[in-house]
Short mmCIF file of all heavy atoms in Angstrom, two decimals:
data_model
loop_
_atom_site.label_atom_id
_atom_site.label_comp_id
_atom_site.label_asym_id
_atom_site.label_seq_id
_atom_site.Cartn_x
_atom_site.Cartn_y
_atom_site.Cartn_z
N MET A 1 9.37 18.91 -15.00
CA MET A 1 10.01 19.15 -16.20
C MET A 1 11.54 19.20 -15.97
O MET A 1 12.18 18.76 -16.98
CB MET A 1 9.51 20.49 -16.83
CG MET A 1 7.98 20.45 -17.30
SD MET A 1 7.72 19.23 -18.68
CE MET A 1 7.95 20.23 -19.96
N PHE A 2 12.00 19.85 -14.91
CA PHE A 2 13.33 19.87 -14.69
C PHE A 2 14.06 18.53 -14.57
O PHE A 2 15.06 18.31 -15.15
CB PHE A 2 13.65 20.77 -13.43
CG PHE A 2 15.10 20.62 -12.94
CD1 PHE A 2 16.11 21.49 -13.70
CD2 PHE A 2 15.48 19.83 -11.99
CE1 PHE A 2 17.42 21.40 -13.36
CE2 PHE A 2 16.90 19.75 -11.69
CZ PHE A 2 17.83 20.53 -12.40
N LEU A 3 13.39 17.60 -13.96
CA LEU A 3 13.94 16.25 -13.80
C LEU A 3 14.11 15.52 -15.10
O LEU A 3 15.07 14.82 -15.27
CB LEU A 3 13.06 15.49 -12.77
CG LEU A 3 13.08 15.92 -11.28
CD1 LEU A 3 12.15 15.06 -10.52
CD2 LEU A 3 14.51 15.75 -10.78
N ARG A 4 13.25 15.84 -15.94
CA ARG A 4 13.36 15.22 -17.31
C ARG A 4 14.54 15.79 -18.09
O ARG A 4 15.25 15.02 -18.76
CB ARG A 4 12.20 15.39 -18.02
CG ARG A 4 11.04 14.43 -17.75
CD ARG A 4 10.35 14.04 -18.92
NE ARG A 4 9.17 13.19 -18.61
CZ ARG A 4 8.02 13.18 -19.25
NH1 ARG A 4 7.87 13.97 -20.26
NH2 ARG A 4 7.04 12.39 -18.85
N MET A 5 14.84 17.04 -17.93
CA MET A 5 15.99 17.63 -18.62
C MET A 5 17.26 17.23 -17.85
O MET A 5 18.33 17.49 -18.37
CB MET A 5 15.75 19.14 -18.76
CG MET A 5 14.62 19.57 -19.61
SD MET A 5 14.41 21.26 -19.91
CE MET A 5 14.52 22.05 -18.27
N ALA A 6 17.14 16.78 -16.65
CA ALA A 6 18.38 16.60 -15.77
C ALA A 6 19.35 15.45 -16.40
O ALA A 6 20.51 15.71 -16.02
CB ALA A 6 17.98 16.24 -14.36
N PRO A 7 19.13 14.42 -16.83
CA PRO A 7 17.94 13.61 -17.09
C PRO A 7 17.65 12.62 -16.12
O PRO A 7 18.51 11.83 -15.62
CB PRO A 7 18.34 12.90 -18.32
CG PRO A 7 19.84 12.71 -18.32
CD PRO A 7 20.31 13.82 -17.57
N LYS A 8 16.46 12.65 -15.59
CA LYS A 8 15.92 11.73 -14.50
C LYS A 8 14.55 11.22 -15.07
O LYS A 8 13.76 11.97 -15.42
CB LYS A 8 15.73 12.53 -13.26
CG LYS A 8 15.00 11.73 -12.14
CD LYS A 8 15.92 10.78 -11.50
CE LYS A 8 15.26 10.35 -10.15
NZ LYS A 8 15.55 8.86 -9.94
N ASP A 9 14.58 9.84 -15.08
CA ASP A 9 13.25 9.32 -15.51
C ASP A 9 12.12 9.46 -14.53
O ASP A 9 12.21 9.15 -13.49
CB ASP A 9 13.44 7.73 -15.71
CG ASP A 9 12.32 7.10 -16.40
OD1 ASP A 9 11.60 7.74 -17.19
OD2 ASP A 9 11.95 5.94 -15.97
N THR A 10 11.10 10.24 -14.96
CA THR A 10 10.05 10.55 -14.07
C THR A 10 8.77 10.65 -14.94
O THR A 10 8.84 10.91 -16.12
CB THR A 10 10.38 11.78 -13.21
OG1 THR A 10 9.38 12.06 -12.32
CG2 THR A 10 10.43 13.06 -14.07
N PHE A 11 7.66 10.70 -14.23
CA PHE A 11 6.44 10.98 -14.95
C PHE A 11 6.04 12.43 -14.68
O PHE A 11 6.43 13.05 -13.81
CB PHE A 11 5.28 9.97 -14.56
CG PHE A 11 5.06 10.00 -13.04
CD1 PHE A 11 4.22 10.86 -12.46
CD2 PHE A 11 5.78 9.03 -12.28
CE1 PHE A 11 3.94 10.74 -11.11
CE2 PHE A 11 5.46 9.02 -10.93
CZ PHE A 11 4.57 9.81 -10.42
N LEU A 12 5.18 13.08 -15.60
CA LEU A 12 4.61 14.15 -15.46
C LEU A 12 3.10 14.18 -15.10
O LEU A 12 2.31 13.40 -15.82
CB LEU A 12 4.82 15.11 -16.65
CG LEU A 12 6.18 15.49 -17.06
CD1 LEU A 12 6.14 16.31 -18.39
CD2 LEU A 12 6.84 16.36 -16.02
N LEU A 13 2.63 14.92 -14.18
CA LEU A 13 1.21 14.99 -13.89
C LEU A 13 0.43 16.04 -14.58
O LEU A 13 0.04 17.05 -14.05
CB LEU A 13 1.01 15.14 -12.38
CG LEU A 13 1.37 13.95 -11.49
CD1 LEU A 13 1.24 14.25 -10.02
CD2 LEU A 13 0.66 12.73 -11.87
N SER A 14 0.51 15.99 -15.98
CA SER A 14 -0.19 16.85 -16.82
C SER A 14 -1.71 16.67 -16.64
O SER A 14 -2.10 15.72 -15.94
CB SER A 14 0.17 16.69 -18.25
OG SER A 14 -0.36 15.36 -18.73
N ALA A 15 -2.52 17.55 -17.16
CA ALA A 15 -4.03 17.53 -16.97
C ALA A 15 -4.49 16.16 -17.62
O ALA A 15 -5.36 15.57 -17.05
CB ALA A 15 -4.58 18.72 -17.75
N ASP A 16 -3.95 15.81 -18.76
CA ASP A 16 -4.38 14.48 -19.39
C ASP A 16 -3.95 13.22 -18.47
O ASP A 16 -4.79 12.31 -18.43
CB ASP A 16 -3.78 14.37 -20.77
CG ASP A 16 -4.37 15.40 -21.70
OD1 ASP A 16 -5.56 15.86 -21.46
OD2 ASP A 16 -3.79 15.59 -22.75
N VAL A 17 -2.73 13.27 -17.81
CA VAL A 17 -2.37 12.23 -17.09
C VAL A 17 -3.20 12.03 -15.80
O VAL A 17 -3.76 11.01 -15.41
CB VAL A 17 -0.87 12.30 -16.68
CG1 VAL A 17 -0.52 11.22 -15.69
CG2 VAL A 17 -0.01 12.13 -17.89
N VAL A 18 -3.50 13.18 -15.22
CA VAL A 18 -4.46 13.26 -14.02
C VAL A 18 -5.80 12.85 -14.43
O VAL A 18 -6.51 11.95 -13.77
CB VAL A 18 -4.42 14.63 -13.47
CG1 VAL A 18 -5.50 14.69 -12.36
CG2 VAL A 18 -3.10 15.00 -12.84
N ALA A 19 -6.35 13.19 -15.59
CA ALA A 19 -7.61 12.76 -16.10
C ALA A 19 -7.73 11.13 -16.26
O ALA A 19 -8.70 10.66 -15.93
CB ALA A 19 -8.07 13.44 -17.39
N SER A 20 -6.66 10.62 -16.72
CA SER A 20 -6.56 9.26 -16.86
C SER A 20 -6.50 8.51 -15.60
O SER A 20 -7.25 7.56 -15.37
CB SER A 20 -5.34 8.87 -17.77
OG SER A 20 -5.16 7.45 -17.91
N LEU A 21 -5.80 9.01 -14.65
CA LEU A 21 -5.65 8.40 -13.28
C LEU A 21 -7.04 8.52 -12.61
O LEU A 21 -7.49 7.62 -11.96
CB LEU A 21 -4.60 9.15 -12.45
CG LEU A 21 -3.16 9.04 -12.83
CD1 LEU A 21 -2.23 9.95 -12.02
CD2 LEU A 21 -2.67 7.65 -12.76
N VAL A 22 -7.73 9.63 -12.79
CA VAL A 22 -9.10 9.69 -12.21
C VAL A 22 -10.04 8.73 -12.81
O VAL A 22 -10.81 8.08 -12.18
CB VAL A 22 -9.62 11.21 -12.33
CG1 VAL A 22 -11.01 11.24 -11.99
CG2 VAL A 22 -8.74 12.13 -11.48
N ALA A 23 -9.96 8.61 -14.25
CA ALA A 23 -10.81 7.74 -14.94
C ALA A 23 -10.61 6.21 -14.48
O ALA A 23 -11.56 5.50 -14.54
CB ALA A 23 -10.63 7.89 -16.43
N GLN A 24 -9.42 6.01 -14.16
CA GLN A 24 -9.07 4.65 -13.72
C GLN A 24 -9.25 4.41 -12.22
O GLN A 24 -8.89 3.37 -11.68
CB GLN A 24 -7.61 4.27 -14.15
CG GLN A 24 -7.46 4.27 -15.66
CD GLN A 24 -6.03 3.97 -15.95
OE1 GLN A 24 -5.45 2.86 -15.63
NE2 GLN A 24 -5.33 4.89 -16.71
N ASN A 25 -9.80 5.43 -11.58
CA ASN A 25 -10.08 5.26 -10.03
C ASN A 25 -8.83 5.04 -9.33
O ASN A 25 -8.85 4.37 -8.19
CB ASN A 25 -11.15 4.19 -9.73
CG ASN A 25 -12.44 4.62 -10.40
OD1 ASN A 25 -12.87 5.76 -10.27
ND2 ASN A 25 -13.18 3.62 -10.90
N ILE A 26 -7.69 5.61 -9.76
CA ILE A 26 -6.40 5.58 -8.93
C ILE A 26 -6.52 6.69 -7.98
O ILE A 26 -6.08 6.42 -6.86
CB ILE A 26 -5.25 5.66 -9.86
CG1 ILE A 26 -5.30 4.26 -10.75
CG2 ILE A 26 -3.95 5.70 -9.05
CD1 ILE A 26 -4.34 4.24 -11.85
N VAL A 27 -6.84 7.84 -8.34
CA VAL A 27 -7.03 9.01 -7.53
C VAL A 27 -8.40 9.62 -7.91
O VAL A 27 -9.04 9.36 -8.95
CB VAL A 27 -5.89 10.12 -7.73
CG1 VAL A 27 -4.61 9.55 -7.13
CG2 VAL A 27 -5.89 10.53 -9.16
N ASP A 28 -8.89 10.53 -6.94
CA ASP A 28 -10.10 11.22 -7.30
C ASP A 28 -10.07 12.69 -7.69
O ASP A 28 -11.01 13.32 -8.11
CB ASP A 28 -11.15 11.10 -6.08
CG ASP A 28 -10.53 11.61 -4.80
OD1 ASP A 28 -9.34 11.93 -4.66
OD2 ASP A 28 -11.20 11.57 -3.77
N LYS A 29 -8.79 13.19 -7.64
CA LYS A 29 -8.42 14.48 -8.06
C LYS A 29 -7.01 14.63 -8.29
O LYS A 29 -6.32 13.57 -8.05
CB LYS A 29 -8.88 15.53 -7.07
CG LYS A 29 -8.22 15.41 -5.68
CD LYS A 29 -8.68 16.42 -4.71
CE LYS A 29 -7.93 16.19 -3.48
NZ LYS A 29 -7.75 17.41 -2.62
N LYS A 30 -6.48 15.77 -8.61
CA LYS A 30 -5.02 15.89 -8.86
C LYS A 30 -4.17 15.56 -7.50
O LYS A 30 -4.59 16.10 -6.49
CB LYS A 30 -4.67 17.31 -9.36
CG LYS A 30 -3.21 17.39 -9.60
CD LYS A 30 -2.83 18.74 -10.19
CE LYS A 30 -1.33 18.77 -10.45
NZ LYS A 30 -0.96 19.92 -11.20
N PRO A 31 -3.37 14.52 -7.62
CA PRO A 31 -2.66 14.19 -6.37
C PRO A 31 -1.82 15.27 -5.87
O PRO A 31 -0.98 15.86 -6.63
CB PRO A 31 -1.78 12.94 -6.82
CG PRO A 31 -2.04 12.76 -8.22
CD PRO A 31 -2.97 13.91 -8.79
N SER A 32 -2.04 15.65 -4.58
CA SER A 32 -1.24 16.71 -3.92
C SER A 32 -0.75 16.31 -2.60
O SER A 32 0.23 16.66 -2.06
CB SER A 32 -1.95 18.02 -3.88
OG SER A 32 -3.20 17.82 -3.17
N GLY A 33 -1.55 15.37 -1.88
CA GLY A 33 -1.15 14.93 -0.53
C GLY A 33 -0.40 13.57 -0.60
O GLY A 33 -0.17 13.02 -1.74
N LYS A 34 0.01 13.16 0.47
CA LYS A 34 0.72 11.91 0.65
C LYS A 34 0.13 10.72 -0.02
O LYS A 34 0.66 9.83 -0.64
CB LYS A 34 1.06 11.62 2.07
CG LYS A 34 2.49 11.77 2.48
CD LYS A 34 2.65 11.22 3.86
CE LYS A 34 3.90 11.79 4.41
NZ LYS A 34 4.15 11.39 5.71
N GLN A 35 -1.16 10.58 0.26
CA GLN A 35 -1.98 9.47 -0.09
C GLN A 35 -2.15 9.39 -1.67
O GLN A 35 -1.97 8.48 -2.28
CB GLN A 35 -3.35 9.40 0.60
CG GLN A 35 -4.10 8.21 0.36
CD GLN A 35 -5.44 8.15 1.08
OE1 GLN A 35 -5.93 9.16 1.63
NE2 GLN A 35 -6.07 7.10 1.15
N GLY A 36 -2.43 10.51 -2.33
CA GLY A 36 -2.68 10.61 -3.75
C GLY A 36 -1.47 10.35 -4.38
O GLY A 36 -1.33 9.69 -5.38
N LEU A 37 -0.31 10.97 -3.90
CA LEU A 37 0.97 10.76 -4.48
C LEU A 37 1.51 9.34 -4.48
O LEU A 37 2.07 8.72 -5.34
CB LEU A 37 2.00 11.86 -3.99
CG LEU A 37 1.82 13.33 -4.31
CD1 LEU A 37 2.71 14.15 -3.65
CD2 LEU A 37 1.84 13.39 -5.82
N ALA A 38 1.26 8.72 -3.36
CA ALA A 38 1.68 7.41 -3.02
C ALA A 38 0.83 6.48 -3.99
O ALA A 38 1.37 5.52 -4.62
CB ALA A 38 1.44 6.93 -1.70
N ALA A 39 -0.36 6.63 -4.25
CA ALA A 39 -1.29 5.92 -5.05
C ALA A 39 -0.75 6.01 -6.57
O ALA A 39 -0.71 5.01 -7.39
CB ALA A 39 -2.75 6.24 -4.94
N THR A 40 -0.45 7.29 -6.90
CA THR A 40 0.03 7.60 -8.22
C THR A 40 1.36 6.86 -8.51
O THR A 40 1.54 6.16 -9.53
CB THR A 40 0.17 9.11 -8.49
OG1 THR A 40 -1.04 9.62 -8.34
CG2 THR A 40 0.66 9.45 -9.87
N GLN A 41 2.25 6.95 -7.55
CA GLN A 41 3.73 6.31 -7.73
C GLN A 41 3.49 4.80 -7.79
O GLN A 41 4.16 4.13 -8.62
CB GLN A 41 4.52 6.69 -6.57
CG GLN A 41 5.88 6.14 -6.75
CD GLN A 41 6.65 6.76 -7.74
OE1 GLN A 41 6.84 7.95 -7.78
NE2 GLN A 41 7.21 5.89 -8.66
N ALA A 42 2.51 4.24 -6.98
CA ALA A 42 2.37 2.72 -7.05
C ALA A 42 1.87 2.24 -8.35
O ALA A 42 2.20 1.29 -8.94
CB ALA A 42 1.41 2.41 -5.91
N ALA A 43 0.89 3.08 -8.93
CA ALA A 43 0.31 2.67 -10.25
C ALA A 43 1.47 2.86 -11.30
O ALA A 43 1.57 1.89 -12.16
CB ALA A 43 -0.84 3.62 -10.67
N PHE A 44 2.24 3.91 -11.35
CA PHE A 44 3.34 4.01 -12.29
C PHE A 44 4.48 2.89 -12.06
O PHE A 44 4.85 2.38 -13.17
CB PHE A 44 3.93 5.44 -12.26
CG PHE A 44 3.31 6.38 -13.12
CD1 PHE A 44 2.29 7.16 -12.58
CD2 PHE A 44 3.60 6.60 -14.44
CE1 PHE A 44 1.59 8.10 -13.35
CE2 PHE A 44 2.96 7.48 -15.29
CZ PHE A 44 1.94 8.25 -14.79
N ASP A 45 4.77 2.53 -10.92
CA ASP A 45 5.72 1.48 -10.60
C ASP A 45 5.24 0.18 -11.15
O ASP A 45 5.83 -0.59 -11.81
CB ASP A 45 5.90 1.38 -9.12
CG ASP A 45 6.75 2.50 -8.55
OD1 ASP A 45 7.34 3.27 -9.39
OD2 ASP A 45 6.69 2.63 -7.27
N GLN A 46 3.85 -0.03 -10.95
CA GLN A 46 3.25 -1.40 -11.51
C GLN A 46 3.25 -1.36 -12.97
O GLN A 46 3.65 -2.49 -13.60
CB GLN A 46 1.92 -1.52 -10.98
CG GLN A 46 1.25 -2.77 -11.55
CD GLN A 46 -0.20 -2.95 -11.03
OE1 GLN A 46 -0.66 -2.28 -10.19
NE2 GLN A 46 -0.86 -3.86 -11.55
N TRP A 47 2.96 -0.21 -13.63
CA TRP A 47 2.92 -0.16 -15.10
C TRP A 47 4.38 -0.38 -15.67
O TRP A 47 4.62 -0.96 -16.64
CB TRP A 47 2.38 1.14 -15.58
CG TRP A 47 0.89 1.14 -15.31
CD1 TRP A 47 -0.09 0.13 -15.33
CD2 TRP A 47 0.07 2.37 -15.07
NE1 TRP A 47 -1.34 0.66 -14.94
CE2 TRP A 47 -1.12 2.01 -14.84
CE3 TRP A 47 0.42 3.65 -14.79
CZ2 TRP A 47 -2.22 2.92 -14.50
CZ3 TRP A 47 -0.56 4.64 -14.55
CH2 TRP A 47 -1.90 4.27 -14.46
N GLN A 48 5.40 0.22 -14.94
CA GLN A 48 6.75 0.05 -15.41
C GLN A 48 7.15 -1.38 -15.30
O GLN A 48 7.82 -1.87 -16.14
CB GLN A 48 7.68 1.01 -14.51
CG GLN A 48 8.97 1.06 -15.06
CD GLN A 48 9.93 1.92 -14.36
OE1 GLN A 48 9.86 2.00 -13.09
NE2 GLN A 48 10.80 2.74 -15.05
N GLN A 49 6.80 -2.08 -14.16
CA GLN A 49 7.15 -3.41 -14.03
C GLN A 49 6.47 -4.30 -15.14
O GLN A 49 7.20 -5.25 -15.66
CB GLN A 49 6.76 -3.93 -12.72
CG GLN A 49 7.65 -3.46 -11.58
CD GLN A 49 7.31 -4.02 -10.16
OE1 GLN A 49 6.24 -4.55 -10.10
NE2 GLN A 49 8.17 -3.72 -9.17
N GLU A 50 5.30 -4.02 -15.52
CA GLU A 50 4.58 -4.88 -16.38
C GLU A 50 5.05 -4.59 -17.80
O GLU A 50 5.11 -5.54 -18.57
CB GLU A 50 3.07 -4.51 -16.41
CG GLU A 50 2.36 -4.95 -15.03
CD GLU A 50 1.04 -4.49 -14.97
OE1 GLU A 50 0.38 -3.80 -15.90
OE2 GLU A 50 0.31 -4.89 -14.00
N SER A 51 5.44 -3.33 -18.05
CA SER A 51 5.80 -2.94 -19.53
C SER A 51 7.24 -2.97 -19.84
O SER A 51 7.72 -3.09 -20.86
CB SER A 51 5.16 -1.63 -19.90
OG SER A 51 5.88 -0.53 -19.19
N GLY A 52 8.05 -2.49 -18.75
CA GLY A 52 9.51 -2.47 -18.92
C GLY A 52 9.88 -1.07 -19.56
O GLY A 52 11.00 -0.83 -19.85
N LEU A 53 8.90 -0.25 -19.67
CA LEU A 53 9.09 1.11 -20.31
C LEU A 53 9.53 2.13 -19.13
O LEU A 53 9.18 1.88 -18.09
CB LEU A 53 7.81 1.51 -20.93
CG LEU A 53 7.31 0.85 -22.19
CD1 LEU A 53 5.88 1.23 -22.62
CD2 LEU A 53 8.28 0.89 -23.25
N PRO A 54 10.31 3.18 -19.63
CA PRO A 54 10.54 4.24 -18.71
C PRO A 54 9.42 4.91 -18.29
O PRO A 54 8.30 4.96 -19.02
CB PRO A 54 11.45 5.15 -19.53
CG PRO A 54 11.81 4.32 -20.80
CD PRO A 54 10.83 3.34 -20.99
N LEU A 55 9.32 5.57 -17.20
CA LEU A 55 8.14 6.31 -16.58
C LEU A 55 7.76 7.44 -17.55
O LEU A 55 6.68 7.69 -17.62
CB LEU A 55 8.56 6.91 -15.19
CG LEU A 55 8.86 5.88 -14.11
CD1 LEU A 55 9.23 6.56 -12.82
CD2 LEU A 55 7.54 5.09 -13.82
N SER A 56 8.77 8.12 -18.13
CA SER A 56 8.43 9.17 -19.14
C SER A 56 7.62 8.68 -20.28
O SER A 56 6.63 9.33 -20.79
CB SER A 56 9.72 9.94 -19.60
OG SER A 56 10.54 8.96 -20.27
N HIS A 57 7.86 7.45 -20.74
CA HIS A 57 7.06 6.89 -21.91
C HIS A 57 5.68 6.56 -21.41
O HIS A 57 4.75 6.76 -22.10
CB HIS A 57 7.79 5.67 -22.46
CG HIS A 57 9.07 5.99 -23.08
ND1 HIS A 57 9.77 5.02 -23.88
CD2 HIS A 57 9.81 7.13 -23.29
CE1 HIS A 57 10.80 5.54 -24.38
NE2 HIS A 57 10.98 6.84 -23.94
N ILE A 58 5.57 5.91 -20.23
CA ILE A 58 4.32 5.62 -19.71
C ILE A 58 3.38 6.81 -19.51
O ILE A 58 2.21 6.76 -19.79
CB ILE A 58 4.51 4.71 -18.39
CG1 ILE A 58 5.22 3.50 -18.66
CG2 ILE A 58 3.14 4.52 -17.68
CD1 ILE A 58 5.70 2.74 -17.38
N SER A 59 4.09 7.83 -18.89
CA SER A 59 3.22 9.03 -18.71
C SER A 59 2.72 9.59 -20.06
O SER A 59 1.60 10.05 -20.20
CB SER A 59 4.23 10.11 -18.13
OG SER A 59 3.60 11.32 -17.94
N ARG A 60 3.52 9.53 -21.19
CA ARG A 60 3.06 10.06 -22.34
C ARG A 60 2.00 9.24 -23.10
O ARG A 60 0.96 9.73 -23.48
CB ARG A 60 4.28 10.21 -23.38
CG ARG A 60 3.82 10.84 -24.68
CD ARG A 60 4.89 11.34 -25.46
NE ARG A 60 5.38 12.56 -24.83
CZ ARG A 60 6.19 13.33 -25.35
NH1 ARG A 60 6.65 13.18 -26.57
NH2 ARG A 60 6.71 14.40 -24.66
N ILE A 61 2.14 7.80 -22.91
CA ILE A 61 1.09 6.98 -23.40
C ILE A 61 -0.20 7.19 -22.61
O ILE A 61 -1.23 7.24 -23.29
CB ILE A 61 1.66 5.53 -23.23
CG1 ILE A 61 2.82 5.26 -24.18
CG2 ILE A 61 0.51 4.59 -23.42
CD1 ILE A 61 3.55 3.95 -23.98
N ILE A 62 -0.16 7.30 -21.47
CA ILE A 62 -1.41 7.54 -20.65
C ILE A 62 -2.04 8.85 -20.99
O ILE A 62 -3.32 8.84 -21.09
CB ILE A 62 -1.03 7.43 -19.17
CG1 ILE A 62 -0.73 6.14 -18.64
CG2 ILE A 62 -2.23 8.05 -18.35
CD1 ILE A 62 -0.17 5.89 -17.29
N SER A 63 -1.21 9.81 -21.29
CA SER A 63 -1.87 11.17 -21.63
C SER A 63 -2.61 11.03 -22.95
O SER A 63 -3.57 11.74 -23.15
CB SER A 63 -0.85 12.23 -21.79
OG SER A 63 0.00 12.05 -22.98
N TYR A 64 -2.18 10.04 -23.81
CA TYR A 64 -2.91 9.92 -25.16
C TYR A 64 -4.16 9.16 -24.98
O TYR A 64 -5.01 9.08 -26.02
CB TYR A 64 -2.01 9.17 -26.06
CG TYR A 64 -0.76 9.91 -26.57
CD1 TYR A 64 0.38 9.26 -26.85
CD2 TYR A 64 -0.79 11.35 -26.71
CE1 TYR A 64 1.57 9.97 -27.31
CE2 TYR A 64 0.36 11.98 -27.10
CZ TYR A 64 1.48 11.28 -27.39
OH TYR A 64 2.61 11.96 -27.78
N THR A 65 -4.50 8.62 -23.85
CA THR A 65 -5.70 7.76 -23.73
C THR A 65 -6.88 8.57 -23.41
O THR A 65 -8.02 8.14 -23.41
CB THR A 65 -5.56 6.78 -22.65
OG1 THR A 65 -5.33 7.35 -21.32
CG2 THR A 65 -4.44 5.79 -22.93
N VAL A 66 -6.69 9.88 -23.07
CA VAL A 66 -7.66 10.89 -22.55
C VAL A 66 -8.35 11.40 -23.95
O VAL A 66 -7.70 11.96 -24.77
CB VAL A 66 -7.26 11.85 -21.64
CG1 VAL A 66 -8.28 12.84 -21.33
CG2 VAL A 66 -6.67 11.16 -20.36
N LYS A 67 -9.66 11.53 -23.93
CA LYS A 67 -10.37 12.17 -25.12
C LYS A 67 -10.64 13.49 -24.85
O LYS A 67 -10.71 14.02 -23.72
CB LYS A 67 -11.60 11.44 -25.29
CG LYS A 67 -11.49 10.09 -25.90
CD LYS A 67 -12.74 9.42 -26.16
CE LYS A 67 -12.64 8.02 -26.68
NZ LYS A 67 -13.82 7.35 -27.12
#
């Protein structure tokens, strides 16, 4: 949250974002280790390249996909 207020474009690993990442088989639980965080960063980097949107927007959009 601090980085967003800084302002630094970043994603948030909210419960909904993590649930979406798990549903898409990017991670199997909330990323906390090197491997999970690297997989999460790679996914967000790819989505940013494909969409041209800031990471904060992608994070919010992904959170809306969870029921």
Side-chain angles (χ1 to χ4, degrees):
M1 293 296 270
F2 171 77
L3 290 175
R4 281 221 184 142
M5 294 187 312
K8 170 81 172 143
D9 184 33
T10 186
F11 55 86
L12 291 179
L13 289 176
S14 66
D16 289 338
V17 171
V18 171
S20 179
L21 293 171
V22 170
Q24 295 179 58
N25 295 318
I26 295 169
V27 294
D28 54 356
K29 61 179 180 150
K30 183 174 182 173
S32 58
K34 247 186 199 182
Q35 187 175 14
L37 292 172
T40 300
Q41 184 69 55
F44 272 92
D45 289 344
Q46 179 181 350
W47 293 327
Q48 186 177 41
Q49 286 179 348
E50 290 173 0
S51 68
L53 295 172
L55 295 174
S56 59
H57 291 190
I58 296 168
S59 177
R60 180 157 295 189
I61 291 167
I62 289 171
S63 71
Y64 292 148
T65 65
V66 177
K67 293 182 179 182

